[in-house]
Amino acid sequence: MTKYMLIMRGTDEGQAAYEEIDFTEVIAAMGRYNESMMDAGVLSAGEGLSDASEGAVVDFSGDTPVVTDGPYGETKELFNGFWILDVASKDEAIEWAKRAPLSGPGTKLEVRRVHGEDDFPADNEWIQKEKQWRQELGTE
């Protein structure tokens, strides 16, 4: 099995459209979607994120990191939440992504593979430490 992250993205325009939908309908649709992934045994994690106005961006473009409090000026695409799926293939992850109850202008669900231990040299000190940390945290 391979882990994939489904990254929920949207635009300011999509956020405005979302605010016109009854919140209980949104929660129910997301709940049914999450439950279907739980029932299938593919959901490892998932969270929604607060509004960008509550966040900050740390920009490393210069010599010293610059912090900008949200909202972040012109927002073309917001990162609104994520799911981590443990599936057999990229195609299976895409199929789950296509079932997400998302709609609206600019709404997208990005599918990205999560690196596993086999992607890095096994004898690297830091890779070994990360493996130990995952065991200590119970996330392995």
Side-chain angles (χ1 to χ4, degrees):
M1 299 296 266
T2 305
K3 288 187 179 180
Y4 282 86
M5 178 181 252
L6 307 183
I7 304 167
M8 187 186 334
R9 298 182 352 203
T11 61
D12 288 333
E13 183 182 25
Q15 181 65 28
Y18 162 80
E19 290 172 6
E20 299 298 317
I21 301 170
D22 179 20
F23 187 67
T24 27
E25 289 178 29
V26 172
I27 294 297
M30 283 296 178
R32 287 188 297 273
Y33 179 61
N34 292 340
E35 186 175 50
S36 70
M37 290 188 290
M38 288 288 297
D39 290 346
V42 300
L43 183 63
S44 294
E47 301 290 341
L49 300 176
S50 66
D51 188 84
S53 65
E54 298 177 31
V57 170
V58 180
D59 185 345
F60 294 91
S61 298
D63 292 336
T64 304
V66 174
V67 178
T68 304
D69 288 331
Y72 318 121
E74 184 181 342
T75 306
K76 292 188 168 70
E77 291 186 339
L78 299 171
F79 178 39
N80 295 325
F82 69 92
W83 292 272
I84 301 286
L85 306 184
D86 200 0
V87 294
S89 67
K90 179 180 175 182
D91 289 338
E92 184 179 357
I94 290 169
E95 286 306 312
W96 280 107
K98 288 165 50 176
R99 297 177 197 163
L102 303 173
S103 63
T107 303
K108 297 177 184 175
L109 198 54
E110 184 177 342
V111 178
R112 302 269 304 271
R113 188 174 68 82
V114 176
H115 281 297
E117 280 183 37
D118 295 342
D119 293 319
F120 301 98
D123 60 348
N124 182 281
E125 169 190 6
W126 291 103
I127 300 304
Q128 292 302 314
K129 284 184 179 190
E130 284 191 25
K131 183 177 181 177
Q132 180 182 345
W133 295 333
R134 279 192 220 96
Q135 289 171 346
E136 291 173 13
L137 292 170
T139 59
E140 185 172 48

